[in-house]
Amino acid sequence: MRLRCLLPGLTLALASSAALLASAASFAQEGWPAKPIRLIIPFATGGSNDVIGRRIALDLSQRLGQPIVVENRGGGGGTIGAQAVATAPADGYTLLFMSSSLATSAAVQKTPYDPVRAFDPVSRVAAAPFVLVTRSDLPVKTFPEFVEYAKANPGKLNYGSAGLGDNSQLATELLNDLAGIRTTAVNYKGTGPALLDLVAGRIDLTITSIASIRGTVADTLPKIAFTGAQRDAEFPDIPTISESGLDYVVELWWGVFAPAGTPAPIRDRLNQEIAAVVKDQGFATFLKSAGAIPSPSTSEELRADVAGDIARWSETAAKAGLKTN
């Protein structure tokens, strides 16, 4: 009899506790951000991820009213930094800024995280074609000449990539396959170090973004061809690879991700603020100077980008013998 009298009171107490916990969680989300946010860029300084990531961090921090501290954590084609975010608390205070290397890395190796499930996509930020850049004294001036030279020197041309499974590596291996050429990969911990060796003439070429070379000595190197569907408006005299007759169109994207389980109100707020930043004329002008265009998205659109790219690049990696899993 006494037990029956206690149960209603116990049930009420438990219900009250649950309500208080839910209220506290809601308050924490509403008060976000209440401290600095960490934005991990999983590549070395100097590449497109670093250039665009630091700018989005600056503009986004102004809108959120909190500092966004950028942390470069390179290695493993972006997997080391991405793993740090995948295992971080899902509280909105650790974010990942990464290009489509999130998908290409997963296409060639077994990553320590599931690239689709370990993250909550927040928003795509920008998109751009690549450009094929060579060392200054490589004896080619056009893309057909490059292909002819590569065929005459199979395996002797070295290309730089930002790491195993990076966008640049998969884009180059796809070009090898379609053009019937063979070039040799030299993997770095980011685009910046690869470009330094390209300028020094220690490697022969790289497929990279304008954002990576803009404002650096590498910007003076020969630009042979772009990888987009159409010519770049800033470089109308430089043809696309597809103009040579190859069915080759490759573009990359950059986006912001949070650890899986990040509360929806925080993700929604981030998506809204990023969209506002990307639509700002000043940011659009910055992207144009970096050879990119604004490309905001919903979280589900970005998730679809990741899944679709994994499927596409897994086939390329298998043909090139790059898969390690």
Side-chain angles (χ1 to χ4, degrees):
M1 184 72 176
R2 185 179 180 185
L3 180 61
R4 287 198 298 270
C5 292
L6 287 174
L7 284 176
L10 178 61
T11 301
L12 180 61
L14 289 173
S16 298
S17 298
L20 286 172
L21 288 172
S23 177
S26 176
F27 177 79
Q29 293 170 26
E30 291 175 0
W32 180 91
K35 62 181 182 180
I37 298 168
R38 181 174 59 149
L39 180 67
I40 292 181
I41 299 175
F43 295 99
T45 59
S48 62
N49 285 272
D50 184 61
V51 172
I52 299 177
R54 287 181 180 275
R55 177 58 187 260
I56 196 75
L58 176 64
D59 290 8
L60 189 58
S61 69
Q62 295 174 352
R63 295 193 62 86
L64 293 175
Q66 286 288 347
I68 296 182
V69 181
V70 173
E71 179 181 334
N72 292 89
R73 193 176 294 194
T79 60
I80 294 176
Q83 170 69 353
V85 177
T87 57
D91 56 8
Y93 290 102
T94 302
L95 302 173
L96 173 70
F97 184 83
M98 193 169 186
S99 66
S100 37
S101 289
L102 182 64
T104 56
S105 293
V108 303
Q109 59 184 308
K110 185 172 180 59
T111 57
Y113 49 81
D114 184 318
V116 177
R117 298 179 181 179
F119 305 98
D120 282 336
V122 176
S123 177
R124 195 170 52 236
V125 171
F130 288 107
V131 61
L132 171 60
V133 183
T134 68
R135 58 180 168 86
S136 58
D137 57 347
L138 194 71
V140 301
K141 295 185 180 298
T142 66
F143 181 71
E145 289 178 357
F146 167 77
V147 172
E148 182 180 356
Y149 186 83
K151 286 183 175 179
N153 297 274
K156 294 182 180 180
L157 293 181
N158 296 320
Y159 73 86
S161 82
L164 178 65
D166 176 63
N167 286 291
S168 57
Q169 184 175 42
L170 270 295
T172 308
E173 292 297 343
L174 179 61
L175 180 61
N176 284 344
D177 179 42
L178 295 178
I181 61 177
R182 182 159 53 90
T183 59
T184 302
V186 179
N187 295 323
Y188 296 82
K189 289 187 176 181
T191 305
L195 291 174
L196 289 176
D197 272 5
L198 184 62
V199 170
R202 287 187 283 269
I203 58 175
D204 303 293
L205 68 133
T206 190
I207 292 180
T208 189
S209 66
I210 289 295
S212 295
I213 62 177
R214 182 55 48 85
T216 71
V217 178
D219 202 5
T220 64
L221 295 175
K223 302 175 184 66
I224 301 300
F226 278 90
T227 69
Q230 300 176 337
R231 293 195 182 198
D232 189 279
E234 187 179 356
F235 303 94
D237 295 333
I238 300 177
T240 65
I241 289 176
S242 61
E243 288 180 50
S244 69
L246 288 183
D247 183 18
Y248 181 94
V249 175
V250 177
E251 295 184 338
L252 74 160
W253 48 258
W254 297 267
V256 175
F257 298 82
T262 299
I266 293 177
R267 289 187 282 111
D268 292 344
R269 170 83 186 281
L270 277 168
N271 182 277
Q272 294 167 6
E273 298 297 356
I274 290 171
V277 168
V278 173
K279 292 176 183 177
D280 180 77
Q281 186 57 48
F283 189 79
T285 300
F286 157 75
L287 285 181
K288 182 179 180 181
S289 71
I293 60 172
S295 184
S297 73
T298 65
S299 61
E300 288 309 309
E301 287 171 340
L302 182 52
R303 189 183 299 278
D305 286 341
V306 175
D309 279 1
I310 290 173
R312 179 192 189 189
W313 293 118
S314 291
E315 181 179 354
T316 298
K319 286 184 177 180
L322 296 177
K323 292 186 75 68
T324 61
N325 55 326

